[in-house]
């Protein structure tokens, strides 16, 4: 017999997310997005304790787990429910929260979307660099996040070197011009 349950919007979304997370064909990026949304819903329902006043998600200041009177779920418990390690869950959260929505959209169909290492490296970059790296990956100017960052650093070093050379040329021209003016002034004095 089928069990029919009436669920609220958040509960229905949780069920859908849980089903999707159990499917093996999701990319690491998709898992991260689903896991982060699951965490948001759990917090909205009061099932995840927020860290505050020097406390962490596991304690309520009295040494007891969770907020007083409310059952809470730790990251480890949430990960176990989804069949993943606590570390994997933490990495998924870092990926989902660290990579800008625009960059997530840009790389969704790229192989990096299924690379935990690449996504974590991307999540640690500032948003402008993330966008530049994503564009390099899409344009096939780089094969990995690490390659793209190395290219960007090399390009920045080349620009800095060029600016330094331009600055030196400008200083030399200025000094040469000053010498000419000084010589002309001396010539007028004679």
């Amino acid at each position: 017999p089928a069990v029919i349950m009436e669920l609220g919007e958040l509960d229905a979304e949780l069920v859908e997310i849980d089903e999707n997370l159990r499917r093996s064909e999701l990319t690491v990026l998709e898992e991260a997005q689903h896991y982060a949304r699951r965490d948001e819903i759990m917090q909205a329902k009061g099932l995840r304790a927020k860290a505050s006043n020097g406390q962490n998600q596991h304690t309520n200041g009295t040494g007891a787990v969770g907020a007083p009177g409310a059952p809470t779920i730790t990251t480890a418990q949430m990960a176990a429910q989804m069949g993943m390690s606590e570390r994997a869950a933490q990495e998924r959260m870092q990926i989902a929260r660290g990579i800008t929505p625009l960059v997530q959209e840009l790389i969704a169909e790229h192989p990096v979307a299924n690379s935990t290492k690449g996504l974590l490296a991307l999540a640690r970059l500032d948003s402008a660099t993330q966008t530049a790296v994503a564009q390099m990956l899409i344009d096939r100017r780089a094969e990995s996040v690490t390659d793209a960052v190395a290219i960007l650093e090399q390009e920045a070093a080349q620009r800095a070197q060029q600016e330094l050379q331009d600055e030196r040329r400008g200083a030399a021209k200025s000094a040469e011009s000053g010498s000419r003016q000084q010589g002309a002034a001396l010539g007028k004095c004679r």
Side-chain angles (χ1 to χ4, degrees):
V3 176
I4 298 173
M5 296 173 44
E6 218 175 285
L7 301 173
E9 258 184 64
L10 291 179
D11 289 323
E13 190 175 353
L14 267 178
V15 168
E16 182 179 345
I17 289 169
D18 290 349
E19 287 175 11
N20 287 335
L21 283 170
R22 287 187 178 88
R23 292 182 8 215
S24 61
E25 64 267 7
L26 293 176
T27 65
V28 174
L29 179 61
E30 291 168 330
E31 285 178 5
Q33 293 165 334
H34 282 31
Y35 196 83
R37 180 61 185 144
R38 187 178 199 281
D39 187 60
E40 289 171 3
I41 293 170
M42 298 296 279
Q43 286 182 22
K45 292 177 56 95
L47 299 175
R48 292 276 286 166
K50 290 186 178 184
S52 63
N53 299 328
Q55 300 172 32
N56 65 31
Q57 68 180 7
H58 305 289
T59 63
N60 63 11
T62 64
V65 174
T72 59
I73 297 173
T74 66
T75 301
Q77 291 167 329
M78 211 160 97
Q81 290 173 354
M82 295 298 100
M84 65 174 64
S85 70
E86 182 177 9
R87 181 178 174 95
Q90 290 167 342
E91 288 173 342
R92 299 308 187 268
M93 294 298 289
Q94 185 178 356
I95 289 166
R97 292 180 177 154
I99 300 175
T100 67
L102 170 65
V103 171
Q104 288 184 32
E105 188 177 320
L106 288 172
I107 64 170
E109 300 300 320
H110 189 276
V112 77
N114 209 25
S115 166
T116 302
K117 180 181 175 186
L119 291 169
L120 286 169
L122 195 56
R124 293 180 184 114
L125 301 172
D126 63 76
S127 61
T129 306
Q130 284 182 18
T131 304
V133 166
Q135 199 59 57
M136 291 178 80
L137 292 171
I138 292 165
D139 295 344
R140 298 179 186 219
R141 288 182 45 214
E143 301 230 354
S144 69
V145 173
T146 305
D147 291 345
V149 169
I151 292 168
L152 289 173
E153 288 172 350
Q154 183 179 22
E155 289 173 352
Q158 289 171 345
R159 278 193 306 275
Q161 183 67 30
Q162 185 62 47
E163 289 172 7
L164 183 60
Q165 289 174 354
D166 292 347
E167 191 177 297
R168 286 180 181 159
R169 283 187 198 118
K173 285 182 182 180
S174 178
E176 187 179 304
S177 174
S179 293
R180 283 190 197 137
Q181 290 173 353
Q182 199 174 33
L186 284 175
K188 289 180 184 179
C189 291
R190 293 185 186 164

